[in-house]
């Protein structure tokens, strides 16, 4: 039934948007731009009525004639909109909205593709707004990290919703849909929820059990709360995913001994340096965010005594310096990045820059590093989008490693963490059942509202008939109030039992099954589906009438 409400909202929203901006075409079939000013007419689509441009030719019409034609077209469109609603409403009211995840990760796509689809955190609200504006999408959330770009949605229609999100991703990245589909994974309902719970628990990470992803899942909720972009299903799912991630880490110790992306980057760099000179290699870290801080921390743990840090502001570097006392941290402003690289043997990059910081022409002018450390400068880039252009790898005195190259490091202690991952699945299954029970319990909410509305309309109608028979002058204001309270009290007492049998918190599966049976029975007895459909139809007619007026 939630789908039916969204369907009606879509109809009303489309009509309102059409009245506000007649030149806006239906987004699923946008006509080509034209410098001419076309006339506009209604067109009926799956979820509403939209204005579309249509050339009328060179024939001139008087303003009066155009008004008459426009009125006829709008009237015909109104009838068509209602008929379209009647055809599709039954199916949407019976069909439950689907939770879906569409995305790609380090397991399905190379970094070259992931960086094109990456959405910076500052742009998450806008992306969610765009996604929720799609015809069959009710709710949305974006989880974009260095290892994944995943879109979680609640879709009115699984197939149409997936198609719209895929087309949005194609448009945002510039990657053709045919190419994009080769790397995307798509999961539905329970599978989609389980995937998010596994992501939050660190089971889907490149580094099994790593903890940073849990913080990133939390950030999705924080951003959604500030922007107001998360709907109740997505919000609850992400919060339950956070609970799952915490339980897995505290009850299985999957993170003990596990390496993070940052520590794996340090391990990789040390693997590539000649063993005798690892301690003397000059280290440069560009970016002092969370990843940069972890890189410095792991360098210190490996015995590094000095590191140069390039960052846009000094405050973050000073905070890291206060926390990490065992390593000398030298701050340099961003303007000195290339001169600092000239004096470094290993360059770690981890900034949010959407364009490369190092290209081949930058590296060509850098002096060659000492043969003691291998004669080549190492660039370890753990950013997505990448901070080091792929062209740098062709330089004879440079080696470039990105997040996809970390697999060499993480395979070392993967077997032990896989055993712990099996334990984590038990917790994930428990939390998944709890979430699905909660979502099932939501099905009764529309029935509760419809039953209450149905009873209130009958009460109001019968009360009005009674007052008409008695006569307005026969009753005092106090008597009228007493009769109104009497009728309200009778309705409340009659509804108390049925409504109690429709309320369930979703924690008890037996009670939930009984509640859903009661819901279906009441829907049949009082014909609440038809009742709801009639109400929505009246609202659509009224809205279309206003847009024509």
């Amino acid at each position: 039934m939630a789908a039916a409400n969204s369907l009606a909202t879509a109809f009303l929203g489309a009509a309102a948007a059409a009245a506000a901006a007649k030149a806006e075409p239906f987004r699923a079939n946008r006509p080509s731009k034209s410098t001419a000013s076309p006339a506009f007419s209604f067109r009926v689509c799956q979820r509403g009525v939209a204005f579309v441009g249509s050339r009328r030719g060179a024939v001139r019409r008087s303003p009066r004639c155009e008004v008459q034609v426009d009125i006829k077209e709008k009237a015909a469109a109104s009838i068509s909109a209602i008929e379209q609603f009647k055809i599709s409403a039954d199916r949407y009211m019976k069909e439950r909205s689907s939770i879906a995840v569409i995305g790609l990760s380090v397991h399905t796509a190379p970094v070259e593709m992931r960086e094109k689809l990456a959405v910076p955190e500052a742009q998450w609200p806008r992306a969610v707004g765009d996604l929720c504006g799609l015809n069959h999408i009710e709710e949305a959330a974006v989880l974009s990290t260095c290892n994944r770009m995943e879109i979680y949605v609640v879709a009115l229609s699984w197939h149409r919703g997936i198609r719209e999100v895929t087309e949005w991703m194609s448009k945002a990245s510039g990657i053709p849909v045919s190419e994009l589909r080769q790397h995307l994974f798509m999961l539905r309902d329970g599978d989609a929820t389980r995937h998010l719970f596994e992501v939050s628990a660190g089971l889907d990470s490149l580094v099994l059990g790593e903890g940073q992803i849990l913080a990133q899942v939390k950030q999705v909720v924080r951003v959604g709360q500030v922007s107001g972009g998360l709907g109740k299903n997505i919000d609850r799912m992400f919060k339950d995913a956070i609970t799952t991630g915490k339980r897995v880490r505290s009850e299985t110790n999957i993170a003990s001994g596990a390496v993070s992306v940052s520590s794996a980057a340090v391990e990789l760099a040390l693997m590539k340096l000649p063993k005798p000179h690892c301690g003397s290699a000059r280290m440069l870290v560009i970016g002092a965010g969370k990843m940069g801080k972890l890189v410095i921390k792991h360098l210190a743990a490996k015995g590094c005594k000095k590191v140069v840090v390039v960052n846009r502001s000094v405050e973050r570097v000073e905070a890291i310096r206060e926390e990490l006392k065992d390593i000398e941290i030298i701050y340099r402003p961003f303007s000195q990045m290339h001169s600092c690289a000239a004096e470094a043997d290993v360059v770690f990059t981890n900034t949010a820059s959407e364009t490369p910081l190092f290209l081949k022409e930058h590296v060509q002018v850098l002096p060659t590093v000492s043969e003691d450390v291998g004669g080549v400068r190492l660039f370890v880039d753990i950013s997505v989008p990448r901070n080091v252009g792929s062209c740098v790898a062709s330089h004879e005195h440079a080696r470039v490693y990105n997040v996809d190259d970390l697999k060499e490091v993480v395979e070392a202690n993967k077997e032990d963490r896989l055993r712990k991952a099996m334990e984590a699945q038990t917790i994930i299954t428990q939390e998944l059942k709890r979430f699905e029970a909660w979502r099932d319990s939501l099905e009764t909410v529309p029935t509760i509202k419809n039953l209450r509305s149905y009873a209130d309309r009958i009460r109001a109608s019968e009360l009005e008939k009674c007052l008409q028979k008695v006569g307005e002058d026969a009753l005092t204001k106090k008597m009228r109030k007493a009769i109104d309270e009497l009728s309200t009290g009778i309705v409340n007492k009659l509804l108390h039992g049925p409504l109690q049998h429709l309320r369930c918190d979703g924690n008890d599966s037996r009670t939930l099954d009984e509640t859903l049976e009661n819901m279906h029975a009441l829907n049949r007895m009082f014909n609440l589906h038809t009742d709801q459909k009639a109400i929505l139809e009246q609202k659509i007619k009224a809205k279309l009438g206003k847009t024509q007026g």
Side-chain angles (χ1 to χ4, degrees), residues 113-120 144-145 149 384-385:
M113 179 163 286
R114 298 200 308 276
E115 66 185 359
K116 292 179 181 178
L117 282 153
V119 179
S144 182
T145 72
M149 193 287 188
V384 177

Side-chain angles (χ1 to χ4, degrees), residues 7 10-12 14-15 43-50 81 84:
L7 177 66
F11 268 92
L12 302 179
R43 180 178 66 193
V44 180
C45 58
Q46 184 93 30
R47 289 184 67 202
V49 183
Q84 179 72 14

Side-chain angles (χ1 to χ4, degrees), residues 259-511:
V259 291
S260 65
V261 170
S262 299
S263 65
V266 172
E267 290 281 355
L268 179 66
L270 297 180
M271 285 172 56
K272 302 302 179 182
L273 288 171
K275 296 295 181 194
H277 302 285
C278 283
S280 61
R282 299 169 296 174
M283 302 291 182
L284 170 64
V285 177
I286 300 176
K290 293 178 182 177
M291 299 282 275
K293 177 182 175 180
L294 288 172
V295 168
I296 299 168
K297 183 177 180 180
H298 291 299
L299 284 172
K302 293 295 182 180
C304 180
K305 298 300 181 183
K306 178 180 176 182
V307 62
V308 177
V309 180
V310 170
N311 198 54
R312 295 190 185 279
S313 62
V314 69
E315 289 78 14
R316 283 189 176 182
V317 180
E318 288 178 344
I320 297 172
R321 189 184 289 142
E322 284 296 316
E323 183 177 342
L324 304 178
K325 302 291 187 179
D326 297 334
I327 185 171
E328 181 185 357
I329 301 174
I330 301 171
Y331 167 74
R332 293 288 182 267
F334 222 76
S335 58
Q336 297 181 24
M337 178 179 64
H338 290 119
S339 60
C340 289
E343 299 174 1
D345 301 316
V346 182
V347 180
F348 295 92
T349 61
N350 55 96
T351 77
S353 174
E354 296 184 27
T355 56
L357 303 178
F358 289 94
L359 297 172
K360 189 174 181 179
E361 53 264 33
H362 301 136
V363 178
Q364 284 177 331
V365 298
L366 299 179
T368 305
V369 300
S370 169
E371 288 295 332
D372 290 342
V373 289
V376 293
R377 182 173 283 104
L378 304 183
F379 289 88
V380 184
D381 184 7
I382 52 177
S383 303
V384 177
R386 288 172 293 177
N387 289 167
V388 182
S390 56
C391 55
V392 174
S394 63
H395 191 278
E396 60 178 336
H397 295 299
R399 298 289 182 272
V400 181
Y401 303 96
N402 57 50
V403 288
D404 287 0
D405 298 310
L406 301 182
K407 295 176 183 177
E408 181 180 348
V409 177
V410 302
E411 288 297 324
N413 58 347
K414 189 174 181 179
E415 191 172 322
D416 179 55
R417 292 196 302 278
L418 281 174
R419 286 195 294 270
K420 295 175 182 176
M422 297 297 291
E423 301 172 24
Q425 286 296 344
T426 303
I427 296 172
I428 289 172
T429 299
Q430 292 171 359
E431 294 295 332
L432 179 60
K433 287 180 179 178
R434 193 165 69 92
F435 172 78
E436 290 181 338
W438 169 83
R439 191 160 183 253
D440 286 340
S441 71
L442 294 182
E443 288 193 34
T444 65
V445 174
T447 298
I448 292 172
K449 291 181 179 179
N450 292 337
L451 184 58
R452 167 67 67 181
S453 176
Y454 175 78
D456 283 343
R457 287 199 307 278
I458 292 176
R459 183 192 70 84
S461 175
E462 294 303 314
L463 180 61
E464 185 179 356
K465 290 178 184 177
C466 174
L467 294 176
Q468 287 176 352
K469 288 179 182 179
V470 174
E472 293 184 6
D473 298 332
L475 298 174
T476 64
K477 186 176 181 181
K478 185 176 181 180
M479 293 169 67
R480 284 173 177 272
K481 182 179 179 182
I483 294 173
D484 184 72
E485 289 176 350
L486 173 66
S487 63
T488 300
I490 291 171
V491 168
N492 287 341
K493 283 181 170 58
L494 287 173
L495 290 181
H496 178 73
L499 293 183
Q500 282 297 104
H501 284 82
L502 287 177
R503 292 190 171 97
C504 174
D505 61 7
N507 290 326
D508 188 329
S509 59
R510 180 187 59 81
T511 306

Side-chain angles (χ1 to χ4, degrees), residues 23-59:
E24 179 63 25
F26 178 44
R27 59 170 65 85
N29 188 15
R30 189 178 296 272
S32 58
K33 293 182 180 178
S34 172
T35 54
S37 178
F40 292 91
S41 63
F42 274 110
R43 180 178 66 193
V44 180
C45 58
Q46 184 93 30
R47 289 184 67 202
V49 183
F51 282 101
V52 293
S54 59
R55 295 294 298 157
R56 301 296 188 192
V59 179

